[in-house]
Structures are given as structure tokens and as C-alpha cells.
Amino acid sequence: MELELRHLRMVLAIAEAGSVTKAAAALGLAQPALTTQLQRIERILGGALFTRDRRGVLPTPLGDLVLARARVLIPAVTGLHDEASELITSGGTARYRVGATNGPIVAGLVRRLNDAHPGGPVSIRSTSSGNEIAQSVVEGRLDYVVVGACANPPALLPPGLNWQVVSVDAVWVLINDRHPLAGRDEIALSELADEQWVGAPGDGCFYECFAAACAREGFAPKAPTEIAVSSAFDLVASGDAVALSQGTVRSLEGAVAVPLAGVPLRWRHLLGWDPEAQAAGQAAELYGYAVETYLEVLRKRPRYARWLAMHPELGVQKSVSLFPGTRPGRPGLSGRSDPKIA
């Protein structure tokens, strides 16, 4: 096994966070997984990179050496990617550098871009931090960003971008299929007041929106445990926790998704871009592909599609949807799809 750039990013994240646990959350990894990676990196380099005490981690002399090189190499490689993209763009080829957090439309969106532009410059960067990738668009290191948000307007996202809402979905609850409430058509949020919650890490507004929804139902929830998505699903399937999920969540062995009564939480899929950048010229194309992908996901989730048909205020958002403080979108961005989902 050889040292890779991703290894350097992990080491740098641990140093900047001051602990493996905080770094794992920032990277969207489970803490044991990051610890295992760190041990592998240390075996490659032949020594410990950090010492640990009650305050966190401190770099060893070897760690200082690695961090010094990482702080040079990572920006250099990032710059290489950016300059290569600029060179391609200057030759008249549109580029599609997309940043995204987890969501059901990301994979299909990238697939459609690759099909439409075979051999073209299509790239995807995934992270748990919506603010990080949105800032990358502001700084010109990415062209588009696909994120989710429950608040309207979304919190923590940087100003200066146009935002188009692709769809608005209901947030459901994912519970063990042997849970006493598993057979219900819907569950009141207040019925879950005593449950242990689990969720994926991120820097958005979701936990604040969740706490506010619980307060409206008259209770304060137990603090959710943040863990990698796959581990969260495992905890739900084992009956050790419940999780909030998008209504489009795929079927999972041992778990079932149930609507929350009254739709106390909603999740918006947002496409963002810089209206002053050259990539703004392809924003309508990306929006169209995002809508097509969302409709494709619904065809694979007939139960949610049937539920959505009874809630016409949700689903695909036909009109341009801008938040206060953003600049106007390009004409013609709306109208690619009927907002009613059959």
C-alpha cells in the first residue's frame, strides 16, 4: 500500500480538528474507520503521527513533517485540477464540476451529464459539508452545487449564488420493522419522544429544524448520535435507534420508513451556481437533468410516489425558487417538468 493524497487529507483533518472523533465527523466517516485509516498511514510511514492526551491529539515530529508536506501538496494538486479545467474551458468545452452532499439525485445527475457529454469534463466532489462545497462554487473551484436543506431560506450557505429548488420532500421516520409502530400508515412525531435518534454528520440546519419540530409537538428529543450513513442504517435495523429519512429512502432489510403525521419536516433539494460565472449558461441543463433524475427515483419508489400524489404542494418545484438575498435566475429555468407526480 502506498501513500495517497486522500491519506494526507485525513492527516490534515485530524490535525486541524484536534481529535480523531471531530475529524471523522468533518469527513463524514465513522470514528473507528478513521482510526483504522490512521493506523494504516502510520504503518506506511513507519511511525506514529500523533500523540494523544486528554486535550486531544498533537503531532509528533514525524507528524509535523507530514503536515508540512501536506499543506504544500494538497493545494498544488487542487490547483492542477483547477488549471486543467480552465484550459479545457478556454478551448470552448463546457465544464461540469459538481459538488454535492448525500442525496438521491446526485448519481443520476452525473450519469446524465456523462451520457450527454461523453468524454467531456464532468467531475463530482462529495462531502458532508454543504457550506464547504457551496463556498467552492463562490471561489470558482466548482461550477455547481447540489445540497439539501430543511430551512427556507437555508442556513449557513454563503451568499452570492443563485439557488433553484429541484424538489421538496417530506421527511419520514425510519424504524425497525419489528417496532410497535412499524405497521402504522403514519406516526405522530410526539409518539417518538422517548426514542434514541441517529443521523449522518453534516453542517446544515437539519438538527435545528428537527429540534424546533419536536418543540412544536411539546417535547425535547434525545440528542441524535451522529454516525456514518451505513452505520445509522445498521442501528435502525437492529432496533437500537430510529432515524429521520427522506421519503425516497430505498428499502432496507430490517427497517421500514413511515410518514410523519402532518409533515412536520420538509427537505429541499437545491441546485446552486454563480450567476456571474461561465457555467451559469448550463444551469438550465443541469436543472432539467436533476428533475429527470428525481422523477426516475420516484418511479423506483412507488409507495412514496403514491403518498406524494396526495400532497401536491410537495414534489418537483416548477417555478424558479429564489431565496432572499440571491440574484435573479436565468429566464427559462422553470417549466421542465410537471410538478404533479402520479
Side-chain angles (χ1 to χ4, degrees):
M1 185 176 179
E2 296 182 353
L3 191 68
E4 301 176 15
L5 196 65
R6 64 187 179 91
H7 296 145
L8 296 180
R9 289 195 174 100
M10 290 177 184
V11 173
L12 190 59
I14 292 170
E16 291 178 346
S19 80
V20 175
T21 301
K22 292 180 181 178
L27 294 170
L29 298 173
Q31 185 270 331
L34 183 58
T35 297
T36 299
Q37 286 288 345
L38 176 58
Q39 291 169 347
R40 289 174 180 170
I41 296 167
E42 290 176 332
R43 284 198 298 268
I44 293 171
L45 294 172
L49 299 181
F50 297 98
T51 60
R52 297 165 178 79
D53 61 22
R54 61 185 179 182
R55 294 172 297 177
V57 298
L58 293 173
T60 63
L62 177 59
D64 283 330
L65 173 63
V66 173
L67 288 168
R69 297 294 188 270
R71 291 184 177 109
V72 173
L73 289 172
I74 292 174
V77 173
T78 301
L80 174 61
H81 284 299
D82 292 343
E83 290 171 16
S85 296
E86 292 290 345
L87 181 62
I88 291 171
T89 302
S90 65
T93 303
R95 67 186 178 192
Y96 300 87
R97 300 175 301 172
V98 183
T101 53
N102 292 326
I105 67 174
V106 176
L109 174 60
V110 174
R111 186 182 73 247
R112 283 172 166 78
L113 284 173
N114 280 317
D115 289 345
H117 305 279
V122 179
S123 63
I124 180 74
R125 183 185 302 173
S126 297
T127 176
S128 62
S129 172
N131 182 68
E132 174 189 328
I133 52 174
Q135 187 62 40
S136 292
V137 176
V138 172
E139 296 170 357
R141 292 184 284 114
L142 290 174
D143 302 309
Y144 312 96
V145 57
V146 179
V147 298
C150 56
N152 186 6
L156 303 179
L157 295 178
L161 300 182
N162 279 2
W163 293 101
Q164 167 69 45
V165 179
V166 177
S167 66
V168 179
D169 284 297
V171 174
W172 287 13
V173 62
L174 192 66
I175 60 179
N176 180 268
D177 60 7
R178 298 181 303 279
H179 192 286
L181 301 176
R184 296 271 291 277
D185 291 333
E186 63 179 17
I187 299 172
L189 187 57
S190 59
E191 294 180 275
L192 303 166
D194 296 326
E195 298 287 350
Q196 177 59 57
W197 297 88
V198 66
D203 61 1
C205 56
F206 189 74
Y207 289 121
E208 288 79 5
C209 294
F210 169 54
C214 293
R216 291 192 295 271
E217 296 282 335
F219 74 97
K222 294 180 181 178
T225 299
E226 290 192 3
I227 197 169
V229 173
S230 59
S231 298
F233 287 157
D234 289 341
L235 286 171
V236 172
S238 66
D240 294 311
V242 301
L244 294 169
S245 70
Q246 297 176 39
T248 54
V249 65
R250 67 185 64 188
S251 298
L252 298 166
E253 184 176 356
V256 61
V258 184
L260 288 171
V263 194
L265 283 166
R266 301 183 180 193
W267 191 247
R268 295 165 175 82
H269 295 291
L270 309 174
L271 172 67
W273 69 93
D274 183 349
E276 304 299 328
Q278 183 174 352
Q282 287 77 48
E285 178 188 11
L286 259 75
Y287 172 71
Y289 290 147
V291 169
E292 290 172 10
T293 300
Y294 177 78
L295 296 177
E296 179 184 45
V297 170
L298 287 185
R299 287 193 291 272
K300 297 177 181 178
R301 309 286 191 271
R303 177 175 173 240
Y304 181 65
R306 290 191 297 270
W307 182 91
L308 198 61
M310 297 184 290
H311 297 79
E313 74 279 11
L314 303 175
V316 174
Q317 303 298 288
K318 188 172 182 179
S319 61
V320 174
S321 183
L322 297 172
F323 298 113
T326 61
R327 303 172 216 176
R330 294 177 64 252
L333 206 65
S334 62
R336 285 295 300 265
S337 180
D338 191 325
K340 295 180 180 179
I341 308 302

